[in-house]
Amino acid sequence: MAPPSAIHTHETAGTGASVPTNSNGGPGTATHEPGLTKAQAEKAEIEMPKFPAPKKFEDKYQEREYQKGRLVLAFRIFAKLGFDEGVAGHITLRDPVEPTSFWVNPFGVAWPLLKASDLIRVNAQGKVVDGGPCRLLNAAAYMIHHAVHTARPEINCVAHSHSLYGRAFCSLGRNLDIITQDSCAFYNDIALYSSFKGIVLDEEEGIAIAAALGNKKAALLQNHGLLTCGRSIESTIFWFMSLEKCCHAQLLADAAAGGRGCETVKIDEKDAEYTYQTVGTEGAGWFSARPTFDIMEHESGLDYKW
């Protein structure tokens, strides 16, 4: 990775994603690989294409149906990755038509079998007002997600699950170290909620989690698991997948370093901040999730939409 002084970034119009530019403000270029001289790096620079942007809708009802389909794909992705366990875990989508309500999975319905018609819509008072035949609501899902959606009006999706490496790392009561390029996506953008009071069944605990999350896109819930959020379903799901792998990587690295009597090498703050501008933006999260969603859509056929 080039040092922060080598190149700077600008945002691609309409996406919020950052791509590198050269120091003269010219066209976008790919970041440099480590070990290249300046001459080699300049020779290696290539122009970056314009990034695509999320779908836009003039009709909010059409947007609702499209986003419900994306939410179902998100659950099927989580199931394929083993993020489901029993009836635990939930992903919510702020409703485009009635933004004070959100869509969520019905309690106890298997994620790999979910269809858009199975999702339920919950209003601000915690009442199920729309959705499929099974209208059981996970109380913890409402308490946590309602609090986050209320505190963060710009956020449209929130994901929480008891993934294996996430909950293992959350037992340590510490925040993520910035030790890999991927972890730079969470540089100054991840919170630690250092409390555990059992299953979240009361309003105060949900509000406390939302307060700890603040304006960040991810949180480590001590003795519990991971939580991520984003402006899109895709970015939220990618941050969760990436954070789970970052937790796994740090568990491995810490164990290896401990066995050798040393510590892991932390990335310099300036380099971490620079890298964040490329890999940690909302646009980067949305774009990075596209292959996973494309594959799941291909595997699911058309039945997931109804």
Side-chain angles (χ1 to χ4, degrees), residues 14-17 52-57 63 66-68 70-71 74 78 91-94 96 149 152-159 217 228-241 280-290 293:
T15 68
K55 237 180 189 181
K56 291 188 189 242
F57 294 85
E63 183 178 356
Y66 174 79
Q67 297 293 2
K68 284 172 65 180
R70 304 302 278 178
L71 184 58
F78 266 33
I91 311 171
T92 53
L93 163 71
R94 187 189 298 277
H149 280 293
R152 301 281 299 279
E154 83 283 9
I155 291 302
N156 292 312
C157 184
V158 183
K217 67 167 170 263
T228 59
C229 60
R231 294 177 183 269
S232 67
I233 295 169
E234 291 85 354
S235 66
T236 303
I237 298 310
F238 182 76
W239 300 139
F240 195 101
M241 295 188 300
T281 64
E282 169 69 23
W286 175 84
F287 186 70
S288 297
R290 287 186 68 195
F293 274 80

Side-chain angles (χ1 to χ4, degrees), residues 44-200:
E45 287 178 350
I46 57 171
E47 188 170 339
M48 293 288 283
K50 235 181 211 185
F51 281 93
K55 237 180 189 181
K56 291 188 189 242
F57 294 85
E58 291 184 9
D59 186 326
K60 291 296 181 183
Y61 288 94
Q62 286 184 0
E63 183 178 356
R64 171 192 276 176
E65 293 311 307
Y66 174 79
Q67 297 293 2
K68 284 172 65 180
R70 304 302 278 178
L71 184 58
V72 167
L73 291 177
F75 280 110
R76 294 190 179 196
I77 289 167
F78 266 33
K80 185 176 181 179
L81 294 174
F83 296 165
D84 57 336
E85 181 163 342
V87 296
H90 14 85
I91 311 171
T92 53
L93 163 71
R94 187 189 298 277
D95 183 52
V97 179
E98 297 288 344
T100 59
S101 64
F102 60 76
W103 294 90
V104 67
N105 51 310
F107 200 28
V109 176
W111 293 2
L113 303 179
L114 270 178
K115 298 181 180 182
S117 57
D118 294 318
L119 297 171
I120 56 176
R121 185 163 65 89
V122 183
N123 68 12
Q125 291 71 45
K127 303 294 183 186
V128 178
V129 294
D130 195 1
C134 175
R135 297 200 171 188
L136 288 176
L137 172 63
N138 183 333
Y142 170 73
M143 293 302 176
I144 296 173
H145 293 248
H146 170 67
V148 174
H149 280 293
T150 300
R152 301 281 299 279
E154 83 283 9
I155 291 302
N156 292 312
C157 184
V158 183
H160 168 65
S161 164
H162 301 170
S163 55
L164 179 60
Y165 298 109
R167 63 185 173 188
F169 189 81
C170 287
S171 71
L172 302 177
R174 58 181 291 193
N175 212 326
L176 192 71
D177 289 336
I178 307 303
I179 57 173
T180 65
Q181 178 172 300
D182 302 288
S183 66
C184 289
F186 300 99
Y187 176 71
N188 284 341
D189 209 4
I190 183 169
L192 171 63
Y193 179 61
S194 55
S195 176
F196 179 74
K197 298 178 181 177
I199 298 173
V200 184

Side-chain angles (χ1 to χ4, degrees), residues 219-297:
L220 303 167
L221 310 182
Q222 186 173 292
N223 305 114
H224 192 172
L226 309 180
L227 182 143
T228 59
C229 60
R231 294 177 183 269
S232 67
I233 295 169
E234 291 85 354
S235 66
T236 303
I237 298 310
F238 182 76
W239 300 139
F240 195 101
M241 295 188 300
S242 182
L243 183 55
E244 169 75 356
K245 290 180 179 179
C246 286
C247 289
H248 189 183
Q250 186 166 338
L251 289 168
L252 291 173
D254 282 346
R260 295 175 63 86
C262 61
E263 292 188 5
T264 55
V265 177
K266 312 304 187 289
I267 293 175
D268 177 81
E269 287 199 16
K270 287 184 179 178
D271 288 328
E273 183 178 7
Y274 165 73
T275 307
Y276 174 89
Q277 297 303 321
T278 299
V279 302
T281 64
E282 169 69 23
W286 175 84
F287 186 70
S288 297
R290 287 186 68 195
T292 305
F293 274 80
D294 287 347
I295 291 169
M296 182 51 65
E297 188 168 26

